């Protein structure tokens, strides 16, 4: 689990400003698509995840933080966001209030993972769920939303991998065929996959173990076993992606870790060494059967989740910074001006400027050093002369001539001063 810190403080994680930038971009892009934010508790009844994610998945089987509360109930820290969103949708009878619901969430998830690059025990996801439409257009809308978000935050080299898992009509036969094939290669599979063969054979397809990957290369392909309606749905998804100019790779090994997917599944995979094996930045798919299975209405749905830790790590690796330096540093020239400078800083903040003031006092030299460090756009030194004349100098920190200002018009002067191409500030404003 990590601490997220502001500014340039050293940490393995991206600075908080990078996280805030991604969050702002998410809200902006998702609201363009008509998605509203939901915030659900970080704790849920353990049974919710057992019934939705699936008992045999790694997430539920090995990775949940589960405990008994004082009332003897079994609770779990949420390992993912879809089940809580669906629980809220059912609990508030949303389907009776609107036929089509589009939600997104941003927040922490918890999994007791083995320690690896880019894998944490508290991590953050951005996710969205669309409930009420069974159409391919809905799947593509979600993928388009991710693509637009990735573009908005400036992440490139992330490829969309697409698959279909079929449905109740065609998957069982495929699964049988797959199990037959895998059994004939049982000895070549890793220990986990030998177990998955009995419990969750589709998961063998996305095992990262090279031994298993070699076996999987020649495994039966689900896309060749789809029934007519599933095939038509998949073709329509591809046609619509093409129409939007969204590039993708068909990859029959994208099965996703959770039990509840049907038909479309997809993953966004980054080609970046910083992530090591954790190169999947997000994924999702259709889960038409989940709501009914959880005792809700028979409503089709599709969703995705993106890992914010990985998105911010990629932005950090790309060298982008999103700090928001102060507009102004107010420095004190002499002891007698300390109160006036402190009051001036307060007034300017009330007027909307971002103002730094060194509360420790100290020599003018040490204050200027601090001003440099904060990367403020301007400094204003207040001393007896300035107090008496009511005038001061705004000194641009990036160089250039000082600007003479009246002490009553500092805010206007800072605002109307030509924007020096302040390094790093631009991305944060967007
Ligand atoms: P999943 O729900 O497992 O499909 O995860 C969706 C995305 O969340 C992944 O592609 C990752 O980007 C991110 N994610 C999942 N587990 C972790 C973790 N333990 N640490 C960091 N990010 C994670």
């Amino acid at each position: 689990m990590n601490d997220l810190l502001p500014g340039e403080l050293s940490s393995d994680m991206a600075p908080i400003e990078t996280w805030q930038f991604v969050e702002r971009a998410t809200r902006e892009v998702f609201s363009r698509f008509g998605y509203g934010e939901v915030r659900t508790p970080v704790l849920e009844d353990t049974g919710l995840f057992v019934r939705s994610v699936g008992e045999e998945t790694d997430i539920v089987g090995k990775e949940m933080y589960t405990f008994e509360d004082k009332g003897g109930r079994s609770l779990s820290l949420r390992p993912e966001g879809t089940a809580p969103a669906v629980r809220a949708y059912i609990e508030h009878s949303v389907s009776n209030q609107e036929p089509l619901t589009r939600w997104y969430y941003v927040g922490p998830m918890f999994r007791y993972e083995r320690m690896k690059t880019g894998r944490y025990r508290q991590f953050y996801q951005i996710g969205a769920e669309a409930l009420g439409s069974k159409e391919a257009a809905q799947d593509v809308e979600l993928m388009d939303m991710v693509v637009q978000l990735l573009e908005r935050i400036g992440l490139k080299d992330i490829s969309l991998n697409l698959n279909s898992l079929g449905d109740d009509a065609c998957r069982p036969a495929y699964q049988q065929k797959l199990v037959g094939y895998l059994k004939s290669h049982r000895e070549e599979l890793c220990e986990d996959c030998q177990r998955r063969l009995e419990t969750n054979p589709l998961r063998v397809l996305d095992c990262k173990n090279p031994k298993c990957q070699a076996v999987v290369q020649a495994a039966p392909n689900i896309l060749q076993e789809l029934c007519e309606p599933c095939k038509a749905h998949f073709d329509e998804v591809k046609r619509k992606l093409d129409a939007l100019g969204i590039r993708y790779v068909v990859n029959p090994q994208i099965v996703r870790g959770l039990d509840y997917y049907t038909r479309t599944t997809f993953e966004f995979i980054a080609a970046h060494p910083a992530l090591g094996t954790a190169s999947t930045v997000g994924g999702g798919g259709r889960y038409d059967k989940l709501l009914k299975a959880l005792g809700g209405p028979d409503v089709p749905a599709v969703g995705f989740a993106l890992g914010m830790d990985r998105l911010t790590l990629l932005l950090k690796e790309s060298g982008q910074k999103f700090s928001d330096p102060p507009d102004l540093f107010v420095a004190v020239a002499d002891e007698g001006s300390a109160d006036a400078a402190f009051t001036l800083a307060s007034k300017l903040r009330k007027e909307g400027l971002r103002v730094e003031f060194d509360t420790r006092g100290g020599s003018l030299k040490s204050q200027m050093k601090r001003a440099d460090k904060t990367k403020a756009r301007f400094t204003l030194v207040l001393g007896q002369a300035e107090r008496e004349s009511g005038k001061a100098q705004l000194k641009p920190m990036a160089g250039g001539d000082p600007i003479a200002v009246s002490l009553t018009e500092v805010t206007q002067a800072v605002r109307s001063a030509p924007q020096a191409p302040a390094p790093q500030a631009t991305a944060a404003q967007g």
Side-chain angles (χ1 to χ4, degrees), residues 173-382:
Y174 169 73
Q175 193 153 318
Q176 217 171 15
K177 215 165 161 176
L178 178 69
V179 169
Y181 167 83
L182 293 175
K183 278 194 168 150
S184 66
H185 294 268
R186 182 190 281 276
E187 300 312 316
E188 296 151 61
L189 297 173
C190 73
E191 225 170 83
D192 275 347
C193 281
Q194 295 198 12
R195 188 176 41 80
R196 285 180 188 133
L197 206 47
E198 313 300 333
T199 56
N200 197 351
L202 281 175
R203 277 304 304 278
V204 176
L205 294 178
D206 74 347
C207 178
K208 303 286 181 275
N209 188 311
K211 284 197 315 190
C212 304
Q213 297 227 316
V215 175
V216 160
Q217 285 306 319
N221 179 343
I222 176 105
L223 294 174
Q224 277 155 15
E225 313 288 332
L226 295 180
C227 58
E228 258 327 298
C230 284
K231 185 173 178 312
H233 186 94
F234 192 58
D235 288 343
E236 186 61 9
V237 167
K238 289 188 289 181
R239 199 185 63 75
K240 285 198 152 59
L241 285 169
D242 290 337
L244 295 184
I246 296 175
R247 280 183 299 176
Y248 56 89
V249 190
V250 172
N251 179 350
Q253 284 162 28
I254 301 294
V255 297
R256 313 280 303 137
L258 322 181
D259 280 354
Y260 51 61
Y261 288 107
T262 46
R263 290 194 171 167
T264 314
T265 52
F266 55 91
E267 283 187 356
F268 286 86
I269 301 176
H272 202 291
L275 297 180
T277 53
S279 58
T280 304
V281 296
R286 183 160 275 288
Y287 52 94
D288 291 347
K289 303 275 182 264
L290 179 64
L291 276 97
K292 203 153 174 229
L294 289 178
D298 192 4
V299 168
V302 51
F304 69 77
L306 298 171
M308 280 186 89
D309 307 72
R310 296 185 193 174
L311 295 178
T312 53
L313 210 58
L314 285 171
L315 287 172
K316 186 181 178 207
E317 287 296 317
S318 73
Q320 290 193 71
K321 298 216 169 95
F322 303 93
S323 54
D324 221 358
D327 298 307
L328 180 68
F329 188 95
V330 174
V332 184
D334 50 64
E335 191 94 336
S337 302
D339 278 351
F342 188 61
T343 307
L344 177 67
S346 166
K347 170 177 163 271
L348 298 178
R349 290 169 181 147
K350 211 175 274 173
E351 290 172 4
L353 287 192
R354 289 194 304 275
V355 181
E356 271 269 333
F357 179 82
D358 194 335
T359 51
R360 299 166 307 169
S363 70
L364 187 55
K365 193 165 157 220
S366 73
Q367 292 179 66
M368 295 313 276
K369 233 177 168 171
R370 165 104 193 131
D372 250 348
K373 198 142 195 194
T374 64
K375 300 200 171 79
R377 268 179 77 206
F378 296 99
T379 50
L380 182 155
V381 179
L382 196 78

